[in-house]
Amino acid sequence: KHLDPWDQPLLQLRDYTLVPGLCAESRALDCARQAGVPSSVVDRAAKLLLDDHKETTTNHPRYHEDTTDDDTPALAPAPAAPLAVAVEQMAAWKVPVIELCDSQTPPPALAGTSCVYVLEEKRDGRLYVGESDVIRDRLETHRRRRPWRKALVASVSDKSLARARETQLIDALAHRGLKLASTADAKRRLLDTTPNL
């Protein structure tokens, strides 16, 4: 079926603010649905995007295959980078984890949501774990006070869950022996009402 944009109702116009940096999200799938693209096509595109996102944000250990004919043993897996360990821990939360470089800003969809974030500091590579309801401003503050190389950001349902996940992530990363900039928030006492994570 040929889709003629002139036969479609006018799409609702929205106001947007231009923010410097790279766009970390797209409205393409929403636009495709509104334009009448068959749901099977849009669903397939969404699956491909999700698969691509998982591939680019998860740093699996790299194995070097032995392709020679001699008896040279294959190399062992490379040790996991600190951010890769954080991604591994955050993947258990079953929410998208967005990776940002220091010149990027979080996507607008995260404005006003509770987020947990991990920063890899430029100075010494230590990790800083935090939570915020105003992630864009928080990352900008860190950029000025404690310059960072890369950040991981995950949106969670509410402030209580963000604090619980922050505490658990600090504990998990410290347990793995990673250098952390601060562990003070790991001392928070989690109440019995915290949902299963």
Side-chain angles (χ1 to χ4, degrees):
K1 176 181 174 183
H2 174 68
L3 298 176
D4 185 351
W6 297 107
D7 291 340
Q8 301 296 321
L10 290 176
L11 300 177
Q12 178 183 2
L13 296 177
R14 296 189 174 122
D15 292 331
Y16 290 97
T17 303
L18 183 60
V19 178
L22 298 174
C23 179
E25 67 178 28
S26 169
R27 306 307 311 168
L29 297 177
D30 293 333
C31 290
R33 281 190 182 93
Q34 288 180 355
V37 174
S39 62
S40 61
V41 173
V42 177
D43 292 345
R44 173 77 174 132
K47 183 186 180 315
L48 291 172
L49 284 171
L50 183 61
D51 290 347
D52 184 56
H53 174 74
K54 286 178 184 173
E55 185 176 313
T56 57
T57 59
T58 305
N59 185 5
H60 296 289
R62 306 283 183 221
Y63 287 86
H64 303 277
E65 293 183 29
D66 181 11
T67 56
T68 62
D69 291 334
D70 61 14
D71 292 331
T72 305
L75 296 175
L83 273 185
V85 175
V87 167
E88 175 188 309
Q89 295 294 319
M90 295 167 89
W93 303 348
K94 308 278 191 245
V95 297
V97 177
I98 299 169
E99 183 174 328
L100 303 169
C101 68
D102 64 347
S103 63
Q104 293 176 300
T105 57
L110 295 181
T113 65
S114 295
C115 295
V116 178
Y117 62 94
V118 180
L119 304 178
E120 180 183 34
E121 295 185 344
K122 279 186 177 180
R123 188 179 53 161
D124 56 11
R126 290 184 307 168
L127 298 182
Y128 180 89
V129 179
E131 57 84 20
S132 177
D133 289 337
V134 190
I135 191 65
R136 184 170 178 252
D137 293 347
R138 182 63 59 91
L139 292 183
E140 190 56 41
T141 299
H142 281 295
R143 198 174 271 123
R144 288 191 307 270
R145 293 183 183 164
R146 158 180 258 144
W148 49 274
R149 214 181 340 262
K150 288 193 175 183
L152 301 173
V153 181
S155 177
V156 296
S157 61
D158 59 54
K159 184 80 166 176
S160 295
L161 185 57
R163 286 185 169 190
R165 294 254 166 105
E166 174 194 28
T167 299
Q168 291 171 338
L169 186 56
I170 290 169
D171 285 342
L173 296 176
H175 181 72
R176 298 279 297 264
L178 298 179
K179 294 187 302 181
L180 299 176
S182 173
T183 57
D185 289 335
K187 293 177 177 52
R188 282 191 189 124
R189 184 182 162 151
L190 297 177
L191 302 175
D192 293 335
T193 58
T194 302
N196 289 336
L197 308 175

